[in-house]
Amino acid sequence: DALNQPQARALLDASIRQAEPVRRLSGDTMWHASAIVNATPTLGGGGRGATDYALLIIYNFAPMRAEERAEAVSEALLVGGGLLLLSLASWLFLRSALLGRMSRLVEASRRIGAGDLKTPVRLTGRDEIAILGQALDSMRGGLDEGNERLQRVAGELAQAHEAVDLRRQRQQRHQ
């Protein structure tokens, strides 16, 4: 079948003439022709000897290329899947790290808004969230000190008011 094809015949003839294997690549097919030539001249006196053996091997690389293509696709999917998993893990880590810190900051601001000025805001780090946490804690401390000062002043005013009331009562009794 292959010997009837013009390419195969031409390759075999070239191999016979050159007395060495000949290879050609055509698309996905590689043709390899080898001929063993007898050194004894033919009876017809044609000069060169008769061809004792001829071998024509036809390699079809299309399936191999399909396998390579499939392997490349599977490698790309594997690498892409790995990168996707790495991205997802990174996103989950960053999300939990950021959202966890943000939720602690929100909870601290709610406690302060509800009047709990004793519980400190505990956020460490050097990023903007930590700076915001430190500012909120500083504000909480300032509010707590101001609140204590107001309570002291209110206590002093209450005592002064009591003292004034006692004096009035004494003055009213003496009159």
Side-chain angles (χ1 to χ4, degrees):
D1 202 27
L3 289 175
N4 293 333
Q5 295 181 13
Q7 277 184 310
R9 185 73 246 165
L11 281 176
L12 283 174
D13 289 343
S15 178
I16 292 169
R17 277 193 313 274
Q18 298 172 12
E20 61 184 36
V22 176
R23 291 187 184 102
R24 296 266 157 58
L25 184 62
S26 170
D28 288 336
T29 306
M30 185 177 84
W31 302 75
H32 175 91
S34 292
I36 298 175
V37 179
N38 187 343
T40 310
T42 59
L43 292 176
R48 225 172 148 119
T51 303
D52 288 337
Y53 301 99
L55 175 65
L56 176 66
I57 301 173
I58 303 171
Y59 298 100
N60 186 356
F61 288 112
M64 184 181 293
R65 289 202 174 126
E67 288 175 15
E68 290 172 355
R69 208 174 8 253
E71 186 177 321
V73 167
S74 68
E75 285 177 10
L77 288 174
L78 185 65
V79 168
L83 288 175
L84 180 66
L85 287 176
L86 181 64
S87 298
L88 181 63
S90 298
W91 177 78
L92 287 173
F93 172 75
L94 289 175
R95 179 179 175 264
S96 102
L98 288 177
L99 288 181
R101 296 177 76 209
M102 287 299 291
S103 66
R104 289 196 325 234
L105 193 61
V106 168
E107 183 58 36
S109 65
R110 286 185 180 149
R111 282 193 317 265
I112 292 169
D116 178 7
L117 300 176
K118 298 296 183 192
T119 307
V121 179
R122 291 187 180 104
L123 285 176
T124 58
R126 291 202 243 158
D127 61 354
E128 289 79 7
I129 295 173
I131 292 169
L132 188 57
Q134 291 165 359
L136 187 63
D137 194 48
S138 177
M139 181 186 76
R140 178 206 54 81
L143 287 172
D144 190 33
E145 288 174 12
N147 195 26
E148 287 176 0
R149 202 172 328 121
L150 282 175
Q151 287 177 357
R152 266 194 319 269
V153 169
E156 291 170 3
L157 283 175
Q159 288 175 352
H161 186 47
E162 251 181 64
V164 168
D165 280 346
L166 283 175
R167 279 188 202 156
R168 272 192 207 149
Q169 288 173 0
R170 282 185 200 157
Q171 286 176 352
Q172 286 175 355
R173 283 186 205 159
H174 286 29
Q175 287 181 348

